[in-house]
Amino acid sequence: MPEYKAPQREMKFVLNEVFDVEQHYQQLPGFEEATADVVEAIIDEGAKFSERVIGPLNQSGDQQGCHFENGVVTTPDGFKAAYEQYVEAGWPSLPHKPEWGGQGLPESLGIVINEMIGTANWSWSMYPGLSHGAMATIEEHGTDEQKQTYLTKLISGEWTGTMCLTESHCGTDLGMLRTRAEANDDGSYSLTGTKIFISAGEHDMAGNIVHIVLARLPDAPEGTKGISLFIVPKFLPDADGNVAERNGVACGSIEHKMGIHGNATCVINFDGAKGFLIGPPNRGLNCMFTFMNVARIGTAIQGLAHAELGFQGSLAYAKDRLQMRSLSGDKNPEGPADPIIVHPEVRKMLLTQKAIAEGGRALCYYTAMLVDSASHATNEDERKDADTLLALLTPIAKAFLTELGFEAANHGLQVFGGHGYIAEWGMEQNVRDSRISMLYEGTTQIQALDLLGRKVLMTQGESLRKFTKIIHKFCKEESGNKALKPFLKPLAEMNKEWGNLTMKIGMKAMKNRDEVGAASVDYLMYSGYVTLAYLWARMAKTAQEKLDNGTDEADFYKAKLSTARFYYERMLPRTRTLVETMSSGADNLMELDAELFSF
Amino acid sequence: MPEYKAPQREMKFVLNEVFDVEQHYQQLPGFEEATADVVEAIIDEGAKFSERVIGPLNQSGDQQGCHFENGVVTTPDGFKAAYEQYVEAGWPSLPHKPEWGGQGLPESLGIVINEMIGTANWSWSMYPGLSHGAMATIEEHGTDEQKQTYLTKLISGEWTGTMCLTESHCGTDLGMLRTRAEANDDGSYSLTGTKIFISAGEHDMAGNIVHIVLARLPDAPEGTKGISLFIVPKFLPDADGNVAERNGVACGSIEHKMGIHGNATCVINFDGAKGFLIGPPNRGLNCMFTFMNVARIGTAIQGLAHAELGFQGSLAYAKDRLQMRSLSGDKNPEGPADPIIVHPEVRKMLLTQKAIAEGGRALCYYTAMLVDSASHATNEDERKDADTLLALLTPIAKAFLTELGFEAANHGLQVFGGHGYIAEWGMEQNVRDSRISMLYEGTTQIQALDLLGRKVLMTQGESLRKFTKIIHKFCKEESGNKALKPFLKPLAEMNKEWGNLTMKIGMKAMKNRDEVGAASVDYLMYSGYVTLAYLWARMAKTAQEKLDNGTDEADFYKAKLSTARFYYERMLPRTRTLVETMSSGADNLMELDAELFSF
């Protein structure tokens, strides 16, 4: 089992050296307290908790899984105690509003913590992770009374939260959902229906569970315009806000799944459960988008997490495992064979994981800083710009990084050869755990339609132009920088190509809407590779500056440049295929009648 | 759980219409009995056995797994009974020599059966599958006495066989193995050592298990030149050939693995076990190559198997599951939503699986027919040519098809959305089961070195030229065929490019041997895509001919042309990236010092 070690040097490189996060925070009113020292201390403490408390529970959590009996879910040994420590340390309150008990720190710092706890133990991290989305929703749309009753308890970590959307017949297509909410005389509602795939829907770690539930009012219009949002607690609070009467909500079963065994994926039955409307009636889906954006960035981190964990495990193995000789001459002549890290294809698998983890980290932090700006920038234009960029980058980060995270996890397994398939090494768990990330919070295919259809084409390319302008400006500013030339030339070309491809698809889509769908996943992946190329160029720039100015960490910065080179020469060329396939048109997908797919 | 249905129409299309297998058999002395009727009957019976007997045990086998207690392995419910039926029907004897009880049918027909039983239940199929390799080895290298004693029992299916190569410290690098064999006075040997990853190494399905074991004689030279091959039965046979005394070989434990839970992966301890030398001393690795080639083609089928099973499962789901409306207008206006097969990206995942399964089938059969010719062709030159082509195509088929099979299995899961992650649907099992195929029988990386280093460069490109000439001839012969133009143009170009790329890498490798390793996996995948393009062009040609000549199966042939078009427009462009990355040189992989991969 790989023993997780938080890559603090890497994290600080991105936060402090590439993005100058201190300056970013100082410009945002309310975040002035997030100084470099605070950032340092939080990383340090988060690393300790992740490495010492929850990392060691990752493999045992997978092996034990969650158990269900008579409506009660028991989490794996140690999970509950770890959660108590987490709450005692005040972690749940970090990025939330001081008026409800939060520490008021930036969302981007929360993301840094999420990275560490998620990499150490993704299953465990989902219990507080789901709460975070519930908090965001109540913070944004709840009444003061709802905030007082529920948000304070979620922020303290005393209670946890969930997100109850999916029903067995609808996941993507929420307009079809059937759970009903009928008004009671006291202003509350009675909810009846069954939700599935409710992560952390039932467990033994906290005193209460606050479900955020999508349901229909009796007179609601059909489809997505008739969905409302409700708070449905497992235990109804009494007048003092303490848990009292058990509500009519119960876990019916938990799923047997490929991975994330330590997290309970529940069927939740609402049987006349008392709920409280949150936000305006029939506007539930809109309110829920608050939740979804946070959740999608949270899931993007999962790509980074599995890439990092796989990298750490397979790097250690590749240095240790002796097998065959280097083709270019013995590298370990005293030993019976060379360590497998001498073999080019092993290095390729390691460097791919490294480039995904480090590039993915930069993308997650970059996106999270946009969340900070979208909510806290001093002027409206800045907030709007940040929001537009965030809308563009969220589906890219979610889908692209989880696809690459799964790829990386598989490389990690592959480095181990046959041993990678065996449970004790932990690499196959890393693959199984990562596989869910391309499915939940909107599949890769749904993210791709969101990106190309809604975010790019529906804005007439405005959001994309905002981002390509940033890249263009960077390329122009650095055009005199000789050391960066191998990066800037392809980056500038693809940045231009990105716009051209968008135009071409947009033109075709005017004649046939299926052209959008047919290009969408290739377009999203292409966008991801160009976005990561921009961030790798920025990292290369920073590393080169440090080397030019003299540093006692030359090795670190040289490794960064080397990884950037690897990304540009070995991964970015994937765009060449994507350009061809996304331009090949919808006919090759649509011409075959559904009945003729098999005989 | 997808219910496996043998795709008989597809199988017959490739065998009869594309490759004219009857004519192929008629030209090979000894195979005259394999008429079209015999082929038909065997497919028909194999389909029944696969669909009705072992397919239904696939999911329960995964859930129950194998159990180990006190050296005894219990296989999942129904496995033993199914094996009895298999033996009664005479399946084990199909492609083996009549003088030892075999039916003397061609290897390629055995492969057709392997496809069906492997797709229905891969874990189960590995029990007879491992026997097959043991039989091939004894057939080729054993004495008549060994054949009488062991081969007849393996061919009848009364006993099963294994392949004991790997030790915990060496898998790829067999030169390091430590198991020792000391000569006894009676001409037998005493073997001592521990082997790991022994598939079907211990079980309750047959009366005896015949281990083929690699070990060192006391005076053996170091490395690969000091390895000998032994027969070590679990029970020593008495003078009449019946099982008698228990030998000093025992299962120490079974592995907990990601998938193929129904197959026991064993640690096998040899504790002064009595063994019998097979083949000349110190030539064990050479003898073992017989075994490995058969095993590698057997594993190539696994790629096809998981692609087919994933395709069948996800196609049924995609036609049934209603979710969202088509972007180009409602396709199921009476229903609450359209079946998801209307969405272009769902179709892309289905067509990718379909193109891999059908193309993979053609590649497996093509390779298997080379096995027939290599052993049975009337003249030496033909046998040698077939052998050279087989040597070239074996690593391609093994590595390329298993990589694509894993990709396909993941698409199958993805079509199900969140439900794909849940065990009951069977799609996550298909992914887990398929993951082993890129590891055992030589990883993708090892196959790639074998292909580029040993098979192509070490023969100065002779084996490659033999194959590119075949493709060139096909392109030339069909050059007047207008309907094939969209296929022939890219095929002819890439066929030429294949040679050029090989030359370029060969030149670079003369200066730096690491250039071979650095290009190898990309080169192998490139080779796979071009090979499959050739086979898809041949399938397109056959389909077009049938349509031109008039047929009452026009839909079938049109679907074939459509899938060929999909392959050429949506999959073959992957070569564009591979050309760039394989040409990017070794430096971007080798420049970073091993110690600087992390900080």
Side-chain angles (χ1 to χ4, degrees):
Chain A
M1 186 65 197
E3 218 173 87
Y4 174 60
K5 192 109 187 69
Q8 295 193 36
R9 183 66 192 91
E10 297 292 346
M11 296 166 73
K12 290 173 191 167
F13 170 70
V14 179
L15 285 173
N16 301 330
E17 302 173 40
V18 181
F19 293 141
D20 195 354
V21 81
E22 191 175 37
Q23 210 213 329
H24 163 75
Y25 293 148
Q26 296 314 309
Q27 289 170 351
L28 301 175
F31 291 157
E32 298 85 353
E33 282 179 34
T35 60
D37 287 352
V38 168
V39 173
E40 172 99 20
I42 282 177
I43 291 179
D44 199 46
E45 287 303 311
K48 279 184 204 153
F49 177 76
S50 304
E51 293 168 4
R52 297 179 193 174
V53 181
I54 57 169
L57 303 175
N58 192 31
Q59 190 168 31
S60 56
D62 177 66
Q63 285 163 358
Q64 287 179 24
C66 291
H67 291 277
F68 175 78
E69 214 179 325
N70 297 327
V72 175
V73 170
T74 311
T75 56
D77 291 349
F79 271 42
K80 185 179 160 68
Y83 186 71
E84 280 161 14
Q85 271 188 258
Y86 181 78
V87 169
E88 268 166 40
W91 290 115
S93 66
L94 198 135
H96 294 284
K97 289 192 180 155
E99 54 264 53
W100 310 107
Q103 297 180 49
L105 287 165
E107 188 72 46
S108 57
L109 261 181
I111 288 286
V112 168
I113 299 302
N114 290 354
E115 179 199 332
M116 291 189 281
I117 65 170
T119 311
N121 189 331
W122 189 264
S123 289
W124 186 91
S125 79
M126 286 175 71
Y127 292 100
L130 269 288
S131 288
H132 190 67
M135 288 186 247
T137 307
I138 301 177
E139 248 172 37
E140 184 90 10
H141 304 291
T143 62
D144 276 3
E145 195 195 331
Q146 288 170 340
K147 288 179 190 169
Q148 187 56 52
T149 308
Y150 299 101
L151 188 57
T152 54
K153 291 290 202 320
L154 288 165
I155 285 178
S156 72
E158 216 177 315
W159 298 353
T160 67
T162 77
M163 177 174 184
C164 296
L165 284 64
T166 305
E167 301 182 4
S168 64
H169 65 288
C170 66
T172 297
D173 198 353
L174 290 170
M176 290 164 76
L177 68 80
R178 295 182 192 140
T179 297
R180 305 194 68 80
E182 305 207 3
N184 299 322
D185 295 341
D186 63 358
S188 72
Y189 292 81
S190 284
L191 276 84
T192 304
T194 299
K195 297 285 180 177
I196 67 164
F197 296 168
I198 309 309
S199 297
E202 178 59 39
H203 57 77
D204 53 3
M205 286 162 62
N208 199 4
I209 299 173
V210 180
H211 301 288
I212 306 284
V213 186
L214 290 181
R216 286 185 181 287
L217 295 169
D219 56 352
E222 286 204 358
T224 53
K225 292 194 174 82
I227 297 173
S228 305
L229 201 59
F230 299 86
I231 299 176
V232 185
K234 176 178 165 186
F235 291 100
L236 292 161
D238 64 16
D240 299 328
N242 299 315
V243 298
E245 195 192 337
R246 177 71 192 245
N247 201 356
V249 43
C251 177
S253 62
I254 62 174
E255 305 287 352
H256 299 279
K257 8 185 238 304
M258 186 180 195
I260 54 167
H261 292 162
N263 198 275
T265 306
C266 303
V267 173
I268 299 284
N269 298 317
F270 297 90
D271 190 12
K274 192 178 257 197
F276 309 94
L277 185 69
I278 178 169
N282 299 331
R283 301 280 298 160
L285 268 196
N286 304 63
C287 295
M288 229 242 339
F289 275 117
T290 320
F291 205 118
M292 288 304 284
N293 274 330
V294 176
R296 282 174 178 171
I297 298 174
T299 311
I301 295 175
Q302 195 175 356
L304 152 60
H306 295 297
E308 177 68 34
L309 196 64
F311 175 62
Q312 292 193 11
S314 56
L315 176 60
Y317 189 80
K319 288 180 180 176
D320 186 58
R321 174 80 171 176
L322 306 178
Q323 206 79 172
M324 307 298 282
R325 292 295 182 184
S326 162
L327 287 181
S328 57
D330 294 7
K331 301 294 185 286
N332 174 35
E334 298 81 32
D338 289 337
I340 60 173
I341 198 170
V342 307
H343 306 305
E345 288 291 354
V346 171
R347 289 178 154 253
K348 192 168 88 183
M349 293 189 281
L350 292 170
L351 286 164
T352 304
Q353 294 174 77
K354 185 173 163 66
I356 293 171
E358 294 173 14
R361 180 172 296 113
L363 178 53
C364 286
Y365 292 2
Y366 185 80
T367 317
M369 285 169 66
L370 291 172
V371 177
D372 300 338
S373 303
S375 59
H376 282 69
T378 42
N379 80 59
E380 167 95 36
D381 280 354
E382 275 178 55
R383 288 199 297 276
K384 234 180 113 184
D385 275 3
D387 202 57
T388 304
L389 284 174
L390 184 62
L392 177 81
L393 292 176
T394 299
I396 296 176
K398 194 280 176 185
F400 174 72
L401 279 190
T402 57
E403 291 283 337
L404 260 59
F406 181 67
E407 178 191 333
N410 270 293
H411 290 312
L413 186 160
Q414 189 75 12
V415 168
F416 280 70
H419 295 275
Y421 201 64
I422 308 299
E424 71 175 293
W425 293 96
M427 305 309 281
E428 61 89 31
Q429 179 191 343
N430 197 43
V431 171
R432 286 186 290 103
D433 287 352
S434 81
R435 187 61 184 84
I436 185 66
S437 61
M438 294 120 88
L439 299 165
Y440 60 16
E441 310 303 343
T443 62
T444 299
Q445 288 69 29
I446 290 298
Q447 302 296 335
L449 277 181
D450 180 47
L451 173 69
L452 181 54
R454 184 186 297 259
K455 302 295 172 57
V456 175
L457 296 179
M458 267 172 66
T459 68
Q460 263 81 43
E462 190 213 324
S463 59
L464 177 64
R465 274 192 304 275
K466 251 192 198 15
F467 190 53
T468 53
K469 267 187 200 162
I470 292 172
I471 298 178
H472 179 72
K473 191 166 160 245
F474 172 78
C475 291
K476 220 173 146 185
E477 279 169 6
E478 300 299 325
S479 60
N481 191 335
K482 261 191 172 169
L484 289 191
K485 216 175 161 189
F487 306 125
L488 295 179
K489 193 170 169 285
L491 178 60
E493 281 169 9
M494 286 183 204
N495 194 42
K496 205 175 154 196
E497 184 181 57
W498 196 358
N500 293 341
L501 289 165
T502 307
M503 286 268 284
K504 273 191 352 205
I505 298 165
M507 297 290 279
K508 281 201 276 188
M510 291 202 282
K511 283 185 200 147
N512 176 6
R513 294 286 297 157
D514 277 332
E515 293 287 351
V516 180
S520 59
V521 169
D522 292 334
Y523 182 85
L524 181 141
M525 295 304 289
Y526 177 93
S527 305
Y529 286 114
V530 178
T531 303
L532 223 58
Y534 164 62
L535 293 168
W536 266 114
R538 286 192 60 178
M539 291 194 277
K541 178 199 155 198
T542 302
Q544 189 63 53
E545 274 171 7
K546 297 284 178 180
L547 288 168
D548 292 345
N549 296 339
T551 166
D552 54 3
E553 291 187 297
D555 279 348
F556 177 82
Y557 296 112
K558 279 186 199 158
K560 201 58 67 194
L561 285 167
S562 221
T563 312
R565 178 184 177 189
F566 172 84
Y567 178 81
Y568 269 80
E569 296 183 8
R570 290 273 177 177
M571 295 187 67
L572 190 57
R574 296 180 186 182
T575 52
R576 296 311 91 202
T577 292
L578 296 167
V579 169
E580 278 209 28
T581 51
M582 85 172 91
S583 308
S584 72
D587 285 355
N588 55 31
L589 301 179
M590 306 312 290
E591 69 183 18
L592 191 60
D593 191 273
E595 290 315 308
L596 307 184
F597 272 64
S598 81
F599 289 87
Chain B
M1 186 67 196
E3 218 174 86
Y4 174 60
K5 191 109 188 71
Q8 295 194 38
R9 183 67 192 90
E10 297 292 345
M11 297 167 73
K12 290 173 191 167
F13 171 71
V14 179
L15 285 173
N16 301 331
E17 301 172 40
V18 182
F19 294 141
D20 194 354
V21 81
E22 190 174 39
Q23 209 213 332
H24 163 78
Y25 294 148
Q26 296 314 308
Q27 289 171 351
L28 301 175
F31 290 158
E32 298 85 353
E33 282 179 35
T35 59
D37 287 351
V38 169
V39 173
E40 171 99 19
I42 282 178
I43 291 179
D44 198 45
E45 287 303 311
K48 278 184 206 156
F49 177 77
S50 303
E51 293 168 5
R52 298 179 193 174
V53 181
I54 57 168
L57 303 174
N58 192 30
Q59 189 168 31
S60 57
D62 177 65
Q63 284 161 358
Q64 287 179 26
C66 291
H67 291 278
F68 176 78
E69 213 179 326
N70 298 327
V72 175
V73 170
T74 311
T75 55
D77 291 348
F79 271 41
K80 185 178 161 68
Y83 185 72
E84 280 162 13
Q85 270 188 261
Y86 181 79
V87 169
E88 269 167 39
W91 291 115
S93 66
L94 196 136
H96 294 284
K97 289 190 178 157
E99 53 263 53
W100 309 107
Q103 297 180 50
L105 287 165
E107 188 72 46
S108 56
L109 261 181
I111 288 287
V112 168
I113 299 302
N114 290 353
E115 179 200 331
M116 291 188 281
I117 65 171
T119 311
N121 189 332
W122 190 264
S123 290
W124 186 92
S125 79
M126 287 175 70
Y127 292 100
L130 269 287
S131 288
H132 190 68
M135 289 186 245
T137 307
I138 301 176
E139 246 172 39
E140 184 90 12
H141 305 290
T143 62
D144 276 2
E145 194 194 333
Q146 288 170 340
K147 288 178 189 169
Q148 187 57 52
T149 308
Y150 299 101
L151 187 57
T152 53
K153 290 289 205 311
L154 287 165
I155 285 179
S156 72
E158 217 176 316
W159 298 353
T160 67
T162 78
M163 175 172 184
C164 297
L165 284 65
T166 305
E167 301 182 4
S168 64
H169 65 289
C170 66
T172 298
D173 198 353
L174 290 169
M176 292 163 75
L177 68 82
R178 294 182 193 140
T179 297
R180 303 196 69 81
E182 305 207 4
N184 300 322
D185 295 340
D186 63 358
S188 72
Y189 292 81
S190 284
L191 276 83
T192 304
T194 299
K195 296 286 181 179
I196 67 164
F197 296 167
I198 310 309
S199 298
E202 177 59 39
H203 57 77
D204 52 4
M205 287 162 60
N208 200 3
I209 300 172
V210 180
H211 301 287
I212 306 285
V213 186
L214 289 182
R216 289 185 178 288
L217 295 168
D219 57 351
E222 285 203 359
T224 53
K225 293 194 174 83
I227 296 172
S228 304
L229 200 59
F230 299 86
I231 300 176
V232 184
K234 175 178 166 186
F235 291 100
L236 292 161
D238 64 17
D240 299 329
N242 299 314
V243 297
E245 194 192 339
R246 176 71 192 242
N247 201 356
V249 44
C251 177
S253 62
I254 61 174
E255 304 288 352
H256 299 277
K257 352 182 254 300
M258 187 180 194
I260 54 166
H261 292 161
N263 198 276
T265 306
C266 303
V267 173
I268 299 284
N269 298 316
F270 296 91
D271 189 13
K274 191 177 258 196
F276 309 95
L277 185 68
I278 178 167
N282 300 331
R283 301 278 298 159
L285 268 197
N286 304 64
C287 294
M288 227 242 339
F289 274 117
T290 320
F291 205 117
M292 287 306 282
N293 274 330
V294 176
R296 282 174 179 172
I297 298 174
T299 310
I301 295 174
Q302 195 175 355
L304 153 59
H306 295 297
E308 178 68 34
L309 196 63
F311 175 62
Q312 292 192 11
S314 56
L315 175 60
Y317 189 80
K319 287 181 182 176
D320 186 57
R321 173 81 170 175
L322 305 180
Q323 205 81 172
M324 307 299 281
R325 292 295 181 183
S326 163
L327 287 182
S328 58
D330 294 8
K331 300 295 184 286
N332 176 32
E334 298 81 32
D338 289 337
I340 61 172
I341 198 169
V342 306
H343 305 306
E345 288 290 354
V346 170
R347 289 179 154 254
K348 192 168 89 184
M349 294 189 281
L350 292 170
L351 286 164
T352 304
Q353 294 175 75
K354 185 172 162 68
I356 293 170
E358 293 173 14
R361 179 172 297 114
L363 178 52
C364 286
Y365 293 2
Y366 185 80
T367 317
M369 287 170 65
L370 291 172
V371 177
D372 299 339
S373 303
S375 60
H376 283 69
T378 41
N379 80 57
E380 167 95 36
D381 281 352
E382 275 177 56
R383 287 199 299 276
K384 234 181 113 185
D385 276 3
D387 202 57
T388 304
L389 284 173
L390 185 61
L392 177 81
L393 292 176
T394 299
I396 296 175
K398 196 279 176 188
F400 173 72
L401 279 190
T402 58
E403 291 283 337
L404 261 59
F406 181 66
E407 178 192 333
N410 271 293
H411 290 311
L413 186 160
Q414 188 74 15
V415 169
F416 280 70
H419 295 276
Y421 201 64
I422 308 298
E424 71 175 291
W425 292 97
M427 304 310 282
E428 62 88 31
Q429 179 191 342
N430 196 44
V431 171
R432 286 187 288 103
D433 286 353
S434 82
R435 187 62 184 85
I436 185 66
S437 62
M438 294 119 89
L439 299 164
Y440 59 16
E441 309 304 342
T443 61
T444 299
Q445 289 69 29
I446 290 299
Q447 302 296 336
L449 277 181
D450 180 47
L451 173 69
L452 180 56
R454 184 187 297 258
K455 304 293 173 58
V456 175
L457 296 178
M458 267 173 65
T459 68
Q460 265 81 44
E462 190 213 324
S463 59
L464 178 63
R465 272 192 304 277
K466 252 193 196 14
F467 189 53
T468 53
K469 266 187 199 162
I470 292 172
I471 298 178
H472 178 74
K473 192 165 159 246
F474 172 78
C475 291
K476 219 172 145 185
E477 280 170 3
E478 301 298 325
S479 59
N481 192 334
K482 264 192 170 167
L484 289 190
K485 217 175 161 188
F487 307 124
L488 295 179
K489 193 169 170 286
L491 178 60
E493 282 169 9
M494 287 184 203
N495 194 43
K496 205 175 157 195
E497 184 181 56
W498 196 359
N500 293 341
L501 289 166
T502 307
M503 285 268 283
K504 273 187 359 199
I505 298 166
M507 297 290 278
K508 282 200 278 187
M510 291 202 283
K511 286 186 199 148
N512 176 7
R513 293 286 296 158
D514 277 331
E515 293 286 351
V516 179
S520 59
V521 169
D522 292 335
Y523 182 85
L524 181 140
M525 294 305 288
Y526 176 94
S527 306
Y529 286 114
V530 178
T531 303
L532 223 57
Y534 165 62
L535 293 167
W536 266 114
R538 285 192 60 179
M539 291 194 276
K541 178 198 156 198
T542 303
Q544 188 63 52
E545 273 171 8
K546 296 285 178 180
L547 287 169
D548 292 346
N549 296 338
T551 167
D552 54 4
E553 291 187 296
D555 279 347
F556 177 82
Y557 296 112
K558 280 186 198 159
K560 200 58 68 197
L561 285 167
S562 220
T563 312
R565 179 183 175 190
F566 172 84
Y567 178 80
Y568 269 79
E569 296 184 7
R570 291 273 176 176
M571 296 187 65
L572 190 58
R574 296 180 187 183
T575 52
R576 295 312 91 202
T577 292
L578 295 166
V579 170
E580 277 209 29
T581 52
M582 85 172 90
S583 307
S584 72
D587 286 354
N588 55 31
L589 300 179
M590 306 312 290
E591 69 182 19
L592 190 60
D593 191 271
E595 292 315 309
L596 307 185
F597 271 64
S598 80
F599 289 87

